[in-house]
Amino acid sequence: MQGDSTGEPEATVPSSDENDQIAAAEPYLPPATQPIRSVVWAFHMVVPLLGLWLLLSFPAQLNIRWEHPPSHFALIVAIAGVNVVLGLMISQAATRRQDARLLLVSLVFLACAGFFLLHGLATPTIILAKGSFGFDIGQPVGLLVASVLASVSALPLGERAAAAVLARADLLRAGLIVLLVLWGWASLVEGLTPLSAPPPKGGATIGVLSWVGAALFAVAAVQMFRIHRRRPSVMLISLVTAYALLCESMIAGFFRPNWLLSWWEWHFLLTMAFVFVAYSAYIQFRREGSSQGLFDSVALSATVRRIQARYDEALEELVGHLRRMGERGTAAGEAPLATRLAGKFRLTEGQAAVLDRAGQALAAERELSLRLGALVDVGRRARVGLGEEELLQGALERVRAAYGEVRMGLVHSGRVEIGDRSFGVGDFTGDEPVAADGVVVHPLTVKGVLAGALEVPVGTTRQDEALAATLASQLSIALENARLYRELETLFRQYMSPDVAASLLADPDQAALGGSLVELTALFADLKGFTSFSEKVTPGEIVEMLNRYHTAAVPCVLRHGGTIVQFVGDALLALFNAPAEQERHAEMAARAGLAMQAEAEKIAAGNPGYPRFRVGINTGMALVGNIGSPELRGFNAMGDAVNVAARFEALAEPGTVVIGAATRDQIGPAATVRPLGPLTLKGKAKSVEAFVLTSLD
């Protein structure tokens, strides 16, 4: 347990988002510090002092004498009774919470109760026949003792100081009892001490006692108010008010003589101070239904943290209980959670009932959250890319954790088999489920046709039924997506590069006509001798040869991040760094070209009559985009860099890869090349450097 050596705890530090919200809103003020309530509170404090001033300023007209000992005795005994009850309640809370501040506050009320009772017994005609010195100063002395205890209780006691106070709790209580006994013996046994004798001529000298007590009560009120600012509480503000009224009563008690209205106002202020605290405690008791935590807000910050920790433990126990209920239900013989926590925190029956209902609501809320989470997860899995079997298996595992024993079946030969049940198209009317033996079977459809069925345990609320229907709808969407994606793989992706297909799926606007200027590396490849080979063989052999070469070449391009944009007879065009950005695109194109030649050589080695690949690669700026018409278009690249790559391919010897100077420069020293010297290419006014690429480190 940490101490209060640095003062009362600051309020919990809000997050940055909370700070922004606080800055944008009006600043928070505790109830007693809000402007209107502060004015009302100050008015209540000023009115008694104003009344005292009027009584003293116009003594002949207002400050009349009213001497009635029985009324005084009854009033003082009533005040003492209120203080006894409050003192014992706070003392019990101090023992239960092991809190030094509560102990000291309880002694404040018990000291007041004891001295007030003795002051009441010293009222003339009750025990003693006439007024006594003890009667005059008994109440100020008692309030002075209480003010010392109040000022100490309001201090930010550290851990060591609080422990020292608690260790001497019995000694403090015993000391107060001894002091009261001695004071009563001295002031009520006639002729024993000057306290039981008539007051000295000229009145009792109590000025010092009154002003010292008033100052100490003022300090205690200010300190308690500072704690209230950090930890707003009805009980704290009632103590602040009580201490302020006691401060005023000490001031009023300075102005004598006895039995005048100003003297009665002193007693009125005392009554109001303690009745205010008692009324606040009563209101809080009515609101909470228990006295268990009435004075917790007055305790030291370390005690408040300890109490909060116990509440956190109770909340964890509640959450754990709900989790266990979700996993295995309530075990036989296990005490209800509300009963266990009621015993632990001494809750009333009403509070235990509220806690039980809250637990049930939390359990329902948790179950709802789990099911909504499962729906979200199924929706996430419904994204394209997963195979049908993998998708449904993963979805079922996730759903069973939230919905219980959920089963699914798909249509085979026009029927859906789920366990020993069989369903056909005629068993379902539209999307309406079928109820059977504690379960509800929802149809799964693809394009409006029955594709399967989902079996879910019967829910306990209409909300459960709606969630199950939503789950079936979500799984239908997931199943339809999986099958459409499989068709897309077969029909769409096999007719274009995967990169182009993925880009169009993610952003259909990319299919619009037009393009942009980007740097890319173009790779052209074709078969040297294809025409003469075609003249000697049948068309079927031509197709077989092309498919074998392209089957070997295409993976080489794709593996290195290239995009194949077209096949033209025996030739292909691949782009690197388009449409997707690619680092080291020149190097990747060169590696793809060498890999293609390696794979093509394996095919040519087993087929001596086959033509052989030649590859040309060049890097530069080109216009990349969709070219064609609104009815038919294709992804392609145009520009000098692409044309030069085609020229390099036409000049390359079979089995070689020819690259341009820009490509070689971007690859750097990793490329081993053989210069071809300046080349004059068709359509180029200036000569172009080219190199035969032999290897890459």
Side-chain angles (χ1 to χ4, degrees):
M1 180 179 72
Q2 297 177 352
D4 283 16
S5 57
T6 58
E8 291 296 322
E10 292 81 4
T12 304
V13 178
S15 64
S16 57
D17 292 340
E18 292 171 339
N19 281 327
D20 293 340
Q21 296 172 0
I22 292 172
E26 290 295 326
Y28 169 76
L29 291 175
T33 58
Q34 293 174 1
I36 298 300
R37 295 188 181 183
S38 298
V39 171
V40 173
W41 187 84
F43 179 77
H44 288 159
M45 295 296 101
V46 170
V47 166
L49 293 180
L50 180 60
L52 177 64
W53 175 78
L54 289 173
L55 292 174
L56 297 177
S57 299
F58 305 96
Q61 298 91 338
L62 300 176
N63 200 16
I64 62 177
R65 182 181 180 85
W66 183 59
E67 183 174 354
H68 193 266
S71 297
H72 176 268
F73 176 73
L75 178 63
I76 291 299
V77 171
I79 298 174
V82 171
N83 279 278
V84 167
V85 174
L86 289 173
L88 292 178
M89 290 178 64
I90 300 174
S91 180
Q92 185 181 29
T95 302
R96 184 173 60 250
R97 299 303 191 193
Q98 284 297 293
D99 185 82
R101 176 176 290 153
L102 288 175
L103 172 64
L104 293 171
V105 173
S106 72
L107 293 177
V108 171
F109 287 93
L110 292 175
C112 289
F115 277 98
F116 289 178
L117 178 60
L118 295 176
H119 174 68
L121 293 174
T123 303
T125 72
I126 301 301
I127 293 180
L128 301 176
K130 298 181 179 180
S132 64
F133 188 37
F135 173 72
D136 282 3
I137 69 170
Q139 200 162 333
V141 169
L143 288 175
L144 179 63
V145 172
S147 68
V148 173
L149 293 169
S151 61
V152 175
S153 72
L155 295 175
L157 299 176
E159 181 178 355
R160 187 173 301 175
V165 171
L166 288 175
R168 295 165 177 80
D170 292 338
L171 183 62
L172 290 171
R173 293 189 180 104
L176 178 60
I177 293 174
V178 170
L179 178 61
L180 291 172
V181 170
L182 291 176
W183 185 269
W185 178 64
S187 61
L188 296 177
V189 178
E190 190 171 2
L192 185 64
T193 68
L195 290 177
S196 60
K201 293 181 180 181
T205 305
I206 61 172
V208 175
L209 298 182
S210 298
W211 292 111
V212 170
L216 290 175
F217 274 126
V219 170
V222 171
Q223 286 292 96
M224 282 296 183
F225 183 76
R226 292 180 61 188
I227 298 172
H228 171 75
R229 286 293 297 257
R230 300 186 182 94
R231 199 166 64 215
S233 161
V234 173
M235 191 52 62
L236 277 171
I237 201 60
S238 67
L239 275 180
V240 172
T241 304
Y243 288 166
L245 289 172
L246 289 174
C247 171
E248 292 185 359
S249 72
M250 294 293 283
I251 296 173
F254 173 77
F255 300 99
R256 297 269 163 184
N258 296 342
W259 305 109
L260 296 178
L261 286 186
S262 57
W263 183 80
W264 283 101
E265 182 182 6
W266 183 32
H267 294 76
F268 173 75
L269 288 171
L270 292 176
T271 305
M272 293 302 299
F274 297 112
V275 168
F276 189 85
V277 176
Y279 180 73
S280 297
Y282 172 73
I283 292 298
Q284 192 166 343
F285 172 81
R286 288 287 301 274
R287 182 183 299 124
E288 299 183 3
S290 171
S291 61
Q292 177 74 10
L294 283 182
F295 304 100
D296 286 350
S297 60
V298 183
L300 293 170
S301 59
T303 304
V304 173
R305 287 195 296 269
R306 191 168 64 246
I307 295 170
Q308 186 61 51
R310 292 190 65 198
Y311 290 154
D312 292 342
E313 291 174 5
L315 183 59
E316 287 297 325
E317 185 176 350
L318 178 63
V319 172
H321 178 77
L322 296 178
R323 186 178 296 112
R324 290 192 299 273
M325 284 179 58
E327 294 173 354
R328 57 170 174 77
T330 304
E334 182 181 2
L337 175 66
T339 302
R340 299 203 307 273
L341 292 182
K344 185 175 182 179
F345 291 94
R346 301 181 184 178
L347 304 180
T348 64
E349 286 187 11
Q351 290 172 328
V354 170
L355 180 62
D356 186 54
R357 289 195 297 271
Q360 294 175 5
L362 283 174
E365 186 70 20
R366 179 178 179 274
E367 184 176 355
L368 177 61
S369 297
L370 286 174
R371 294 187 174 185
L372 290 175
L375 282 175
V376 172
D377 197 48
V378 169
R380 188 182 298 113
R381 292 173 182 271
R383 297 172 61 186
V384 297
L386 290 178
E388 181 178 315
E389 183 176 350
E390 180 184 1
L391 170 68
L392 295 180
Q393 185 62 35
L396 267 181
E397 291 177 2
R398 179 66 179 86
V399 166
R400 282 172 179 159
Y403 286 80
E405 188 55 35
V406 176
R407 297 193 295 177
M408 184 190 305
L410 297 179
V411 170
H412 294 288
S413 302
R415 304 290 297 178
V416 181
E417 306 290 338
I418 302 179
D420 57 353
R421 296 186 179 89
S422 179
F423 302 92
V425 176
D427 295 321
F428 298 99
T429 303
D431 292 332
E432 293 299 317
V434 175
D437 299 333
V439 297
V440 179
V441 182
H442 294 264
L444 303 179
T445 59
V446 172
K447 294 187 179 297
V449 178
L450 183 68
L454 178 72
E455 183 184 278
V456 183
V458 174
T460 57
T461 65
R462 295 183 61 185
Q463 191 177 55
D464 293 333
E465 298 175 6
L467 286 173
T470 304
L471 174 63
S473 176
Q474 192 68 58
L475 285 172
S476 293
I477 294 172
L479 184 61
E480 185 168 346
N481 282 348
R483 294 185 176 179
L484 288 175
Y485 184 74
R486 186 173 60 194
E487 294 178 12
L488 196 65
E489 283 283 345
T490 303
L491 301 175
F492 186 39
R493 288 181 176 269
Q494 292 182 1
Y495 282 89
M496 63 178 61
S497 166
D499 286 342
V500 176
S503 297
L504 291 177
L505 283 173
D507 183 8
D509 289 342
Q510 292 189 22
L513 293 175
S516 58
L517 195 65
V518 297
E519 183 186 67
L520 55 74
T521 298
L523 181 153
F524 266 101
D526 78 343
L527 294 171
K528 176 67 173 179
F530 174 74
T531 302
S532 58
F533 175 81
S534 300
E535 293 174 350
K536 300 175 185 178
V537 298
T538 64
E541 292 176 297
I542 296 174
V543 173
E544 179 186 358
M545 180 270 298
L546 287 175
N547 286 340
R548 291 185 66 181
Y549 272 129
H550 289 324
T551 300
V554 168
C556 296
V557 174
L558 299 181
R559 189 166 61 247
H560 290 89
T563 299
I564 299 174
V565 295
Q566 59 179 238
F567 291 98
V568 181
D570 62 321
L572 66 83
L573 169 61
L575 303 178
F576 294 79
N577 203 41
E581 292 186 5
Q582 182 182 17
E583 293 185 7
R584 306 186 352 254
H585 53 87
E587 179 186 339
M588 291 298 101
R591 293 189 183 279
L594 292 176
M596 288 172 59
Q597 289 293 25
E599 294 297 323
E601 284 299 319
K602 296 177 184 178
I603 298 173
N607 299 275
Y610 273 17
R612 298 175 66 196
F613 257 126
R614 54 185 179 178
V615 176
I617 299 173
N618 190 44
T619 301
M621 303 300 293
L623 182 66
V624 179
N626 297 295
I627 300 168
S629 69
E631 295 78 18
L632 185 63
R633 68 199 68 184
F635 184 80
N636 212 326
M638 297 183 300
D640 185 64
V642 179
N643 295 335
V644 171
R647 300 290 186 268
F648 287 160
E649 173 262 327
L651 294 174
E653 293 295 326
T656 64
V657 176
V658 175
I659 64 175
T663 305
R664 184 207 58 180
D665 292 342
Q666 286 203 17
I667 297 173
T672 301
V673 298
R674 174 168 53 85
L676 294 178
L679 300 178
T680 301
L681 303 179
K682 182 179 179 181
K684 298 287 291 182
K686 296 182 180 180
S687 60
V688 178
E689 279 193 282
F691 306 85
V692 176
L693 178 65
T694 57
S695 66
L696 279 172
D697 292 341

